[in-house]
Amino acid sequence: MTQRDTESSAAAPLTLRARIEALRQQRHQLEQGGGPDRIARQHQAGKLTARERIHLLIDHDTFQELYLFARHRCTAFGMADKEMPGEGVITGCGSVDGRQVFVAAQDFTVAGGSVGEMHADKICQTMDLALKCGSPFITINDSGGARIQEGIDALSGYGRIFYRNVLLSGVVPQIAIIAGPCAGGAAYSPALMDFIIMVRGSEMFITGPEVLKQVTGEHVTGEELGGPEAQVRSGVAHFIAENDQEAIAICKRLLSFLPSNNLEDPPDRGDGELRIFSDPALDTIIPDDPREPYDVIPIIKRLVDDGDFMEVQRGFADNAVIGFARIDGNTVGIVANQPMVMAGVLDIDASDKIARFVRFCNAFNIPLITFVDVPGFLPGVAQERGGIIRHGAKMLFAYSAATTPKITVILRKAYGGAYLAMCGKDLGADRVAAWPSSEIAVMGPEGAVNIIYREQIKQAADPAAARAEFVRLYRAEFASPYVGASRNLIDSIIAPSETRRYLSLALASLRTKREFRPQKKHGLVPL
Ligand code: HXC
C-alpha cells in the first residue's frame, strides 16, 4: 500500500482497527526507505543507512520521529506518482547521553537523499523546534544535492535551511556529520554550522572534479579536491572519522563538552570539590633553551581532568592548538601556541582558527584558558599579501569581545602584537599568570639588539661578541615576567607545578563573573 493509496482509502468507511492496521503498514513501509536493494548498496559502500546512524546517535528508545509522512508535490519530469519514503530525510528528536538533541539524517537510499521542497521543510521544522527548545541541532549529510526535478523549490529549500543555520548560530550548538556527498551550494549549510565531522570517503566541494575539468582544465579526484584530508587542511572540516560509527562517537564526545544552548552552562561533571594538585613534572617539561621546541599538548593534558583533551581542527594551522577539556568537571576551551610547529608563530590560518574558536566558546559560556609561547606574527610577503593584518585582527577582536572568563598562562615567549593577541591582560584577560621562564617584550632579543644597538655592534672590535652581550643584557632586562608583574599586567608568577592549582582556583573565582558592554546591533569583526 503506497502513501497515495492510504491517503485515498482514508476516505473509505473503515473501522478504527483497520485504520490502525493501515497506519502500521504504511509506517513500516516508509521506514524501509529506498528498500532492500538500495540499503544493500549503501552497506556495500561501507555506509550505514540514515536510520542506523540515528540509532547509533540517539539513546535507546528515545527517538521520536517527526514528519515521516511528508510527501513531495512535484509533478514535473514524471514525478507525480514517484514515491519517496520520508522525502529522503529522517528528522526528529531524542536524547544523547540523557540530553535532548534534534537531528536530520539524509537518506541516500531515497532519490540519493536529494533536497526537495518537503525534504527541506522537514529539516527547517526540526531546526525551528531545536531553536525553541534550546537543544543542539545535528545533521547527517548524505545527499546528491538539490533535487533537480524540483527546480526553484529545491533551491528555496536550501535557502530556508541556510537562513535557519544563521538563526540558530550562537543559540544552540550545530554539528554536521558529512557521511556521503555534499556538493555545490549544499556545502554551505554545514559551513554555517559550528563543527563539521567528515567520514572517510565523503566529499565536500562547491564545484566537482567533472565541472573543473571542463571549466578550468584542472584534473583532480573528488577525494583530492574535497575529501576529509583536503577539507581539514582547508580549515573547513574540524574532525576526520574513519567510518560512520567513529563520526557519531566524535559527535557525542563533542556534545558532552557543550551546553545545550547559550543560556545554559556546559554540563558540570564535577562533585563540587576542586581537584587541586601539584605536578612536579611540569617544572622540567619545557627546555631551558628558549629556542628549543617542545610539544604543548602533553602540558595541556597534565593540567586538565583525567588528561582528557579533545583537540579540534588537528591538521589545520597546527602551529596553534585549540580544543575542549574539563577542570574540576567543568568545560574549558583551550587555546595554545604549539612551539613544535613553526615555533608556534601566528599566521593567517592560526589567527582564523583561534578567533573562530574563541567566538564559539564565548557564545556558549565556555571559559577560555590561553597558553602562550609565541615568537610573534609570521613575517613574509605571502602573509602580508594574504592580509595577515586583517586575519590577526580577528583574534584581537574575538578575545576583546569575549566576556566569558578568560585566563592566560604565559609559558615562555610572548612577543609583540602576538603577546596581546594571545589574550594579554589589556585584551580583557581576567587573570594572567606567568611561569618564571616567561619572556615578554616588544620583540625577541636577537631582532631587538640589531635595531637598538646597531651602531654599537657595527663599531665593536668583535661585533659577534658585542651582539651576544647586548642579547644577554636585553634578556636580563625584559626576558622575565617580573616587569609585567610590577605593572599588574600579570597577577601571579607561578612555578609550572603550581599551574593546576592556579587554574582551579581562578576558574572557581570567575564562576560569578559578569561583564557588561555597550548595547549595539553587532560589532564589525574584520572578516
Ligand atoms: C535528483 C538525484 C540527485 C539530485 C542523485 N539523485 N542526486 N535525484 N536530484 N540532485 C538520484 C539519482 O537519480 C538516483 O536515482 C539516486 O539518486 C542515486 O544516485 P546514483 O547516481 O545512482 O548514485 P551514485 O552513483 O552513488 O552517485 C551519487 C551522486 C550522483 C555522485 C551524488 O547521483 C550525482 O552526481 N548526482 C547529482 C549531483 C548534483 O549535481 N546535484 C546538484 C548539485 S547543485 P535512481 O532513481 O535513478 O536510482 C546543488 C545546488 C544547491 O545542490 C544550491 C543551494 C544554494
Side-chain angles (χ1 to χ4, degrees):
M1 187 182 285
T2 67
Q3 199 168 349
R4 269 281 148 84
D5 294 338
T6 317
E7 279 163 12
S8 49
S9 69
L14 290 173
T15 62
L16 179 56
R17 184 186 289 262
R19 284 172 192 258
I20 293 169
E21 184 48 35
L23 164 69
R24 292 211 167 110
Q25 266 184 31
Q26 196 187 350
R27 214 158 49 191
H28 176 74
Q29 197 168 344
L30 290 171
E31 284 168 358
Q32 305 314 304
D37 290 351
R38 280 168 203 268
I39 290 174
R41 233 194 281 168
Q42 181 86 349
H43 287 158
Q44 274 155 18
K47 304 199 286 183
L48 297 177
T49 63
R51 219 162 265 287
E52 288 163 343
R53 287 166 176 157
I54 287 181
H55 185 71
L56 269 183
L57 175 70
I58 301 293
D59 295 346
H60 177 65
D61 215 14
T62 65
F63 184 60
Q64 187 170 30
E65 186 165 354
L66 304 172
Y67 320 118
L68 173 66
F69 297 92
R71 193 179 194 285
H72 70 84
R73 41 188 176 181
C74 179
T75 52
F77 305 102
M79 285 272 287
D81 295 321
K82 193 148 170 113
E83 297 297 332
M84 294 195 177
E87 259 301 289
V89 62
I90 300 173
T91 49
C93 58
S95 301
V96 172
D97 295 332
R99 293 191 301 152
Q100 176 167 266
V101 301
F102 285 80
V103 61
Q106 290 178 315
D107 184 351
F108 193 81
T109 69
V110 176
S114 55
V115 177
E117 177 198 20
M118 286 300 157
H119 176 121
D121 191 70
K122 286 180 71 166
I123 297 176
C124 290
Q125 298 232 24
T126 307
M127 294 174 82
D128 290 344
L129 286 169
L131 184 66
K132 284 190 246 186
C133 301
S135 303
F137 175 62
I138 295 158
T139 58
I140 305 178
N141 297 58
D142 189 359
S143 165
R147 190 174 295 155
I148 296 161
Q149 299 91 326
E150 295 203 31
I152 193 173
D153 289 335
L155 294 180
S156 158
Y158 268 118
R160 293 173 60 210
I161 294 170
F162 299 164
Y163 182 80
R164 281 165 178 75
N165 284 134
V166 176
L167 284 183
L168 268 62
S169 181
V171 182
V172 296
Q174 300 184 81
I175 300 172
I177 295 174
I178 312 296
C182 183
Y188 282 120
S189 173
L192 289 166
M193 299 173 75
D194 302 317
F195 298 100
I196 296 179
I197 304 163
M198 283 187 81
V199 181
R200 221 169 268 292
S202 68
E203 290 172 357
M204 288 179 86
F205 34 68
I206 294 298
T207 316
E210 282 308 312
V211 180
L212 278 191
K213 215 184 297 172
Q214 291 158 21
V215 176
T216 68
E218 290 166 298
H219 291 257
V220 65
T221 65
E223 190 184 346
E224 286 164 344
L225 187 65
E229 305 280 352
Q231 291 300 13
V232 162
R233 272 199 306 276
S234 73
V236 167
H238 299 78
F239 300 96
I240 298 179
E242 290 306 316
N243 48 40
D244 289 350
Q245 288 84 344
E246 197 192 355
I248 283 163
I250 292 171
C251 179
K252 285 179 160 186
R253 185 166 176 227
L254 190 51
L255 283 169
S256 78
F257 287 103
L258 309 182
S260 291
N261 59 64
N262 63 335
L263 299 179
E264 281 183 13
D265 286 329
D268 183 351
R269 294 263 186 103
D271 52 11
E273 296 288 313
L274 300 188
R275 281 196 263 163
I276 289 173
F277 53 84
S278 163
D279 184 357
L282 284 173
D283 286 340
T284 53
I285 207 161
I286 65 168
D288 284 328
D289 179 351
R291 282 163 306 185
E292 207 178 305
Y294 63 90
D295 185 357
V296 76
I297 291 177
I299 296 180
I300 296 169
K301 288 189 173 172
R302 296 193 81 92
L303 289 169
V304 301
D305 291 357
D306 310 316
D308 184 16
F309 174 56
M310 185 176 199
E311 191 179 349
V312 175
Q313 275 191 311
R314 183 171 40 218
F316 171 63
D318 285 332
N319 38 329
V321 173
I322 56 170
F324 297 107
R326 292 184 186 86
I327 289 197
D328 302 316
N330 294 301
T331 302
V332 288
I334 305 268
V335 177
N337 308 112
Q338 174 55 288
M340 224 171 55
V341 180
M342 297 159 65
V345 74
L346 290 175
D347 59 359
I348 287 172
D349 286 348
S351 303
D352 284 358
K353 176 176 173 176
I354 293 174
R356 178 169 172 165
F357 184 70
V358 166
R359 284 165 64 81
F360 176 84
C361 289
N362 187 51
F364 289 104
N365 315 313
I366 297 173
L368 281 159
I369 300 176
T370 305
F371 294 106
V372 185
D373 188 348
V374 64
F377 280 100
L378 181 63
V381 174
Q383 290 288 309
E384 296 295 344
R385 297 229 166 116
I388 188 153
I389 296 174
R390 179 166 53 85
H391 292 276
K394 292 181 201 180
M395 273 183 75
L396 280 91
F397 197 108
Y399 269 125
S400 300
T403 55
T404 194
K406 295 181 284 192
I407 300 171
T408 301
V409 182
I410 304 173
L411 308 184
R412 201 168 62 171
K413 295 180 202 123
Y415 292 160
Y419 150 69
L420 295 171
M422 289 300 289
C423 202
K425 174 81 177 177
D426 302 293
L427 264 71
D430 302 295
R431 301 289 301 269
V432 180
W435 288 4
S437 42
S438 300
E439 299 182 359
I440 304 155
V442 171
M443 61 169 71
E446 284 77 12
V449 300
N450 281 342
I451 296 170
I452 57 179
Y453 296 118
R454 185 170 34 203
E455 282 309 308
Q456 290 94 321
I457 292 170
K458 216 189 316 173
Q459 283 158 21
D462 181 349
R467 181 182 293 113
E469 177 56 13
F470 286 132
V471 165
R472 195 189 62 73
L473 286 173
Y474 183 90
R475 272 228 156 83
E477 179 71 23
F478 286 118
S480 87
Y482 293 96
V483 178
S486 75
R487 308 280 196 276
N488 299 337
L489 295 171
I490 291 165
D491 58 68
S492 309
I493 302 174
I494 55 172
S497 53
E498 298 163 350
T499 309
R500 168 68 190 219
R501 175 186 167 80
Y502 179 86
L503 293 174
S504 282
L505 293 173
L507 283 163
S509 118
L510 289 166
R511 284 206 127 199
T512 48
K513 179 188 172 188
R514 291 284 178 276
E515 191 176 320
F516 299 99
R517 299 292 176 95
Q519 285 263 327
K520 55 182 156 183
K521 200 163 176 184
H522 58 71
L524 294 160
V525 62
L527 292 172

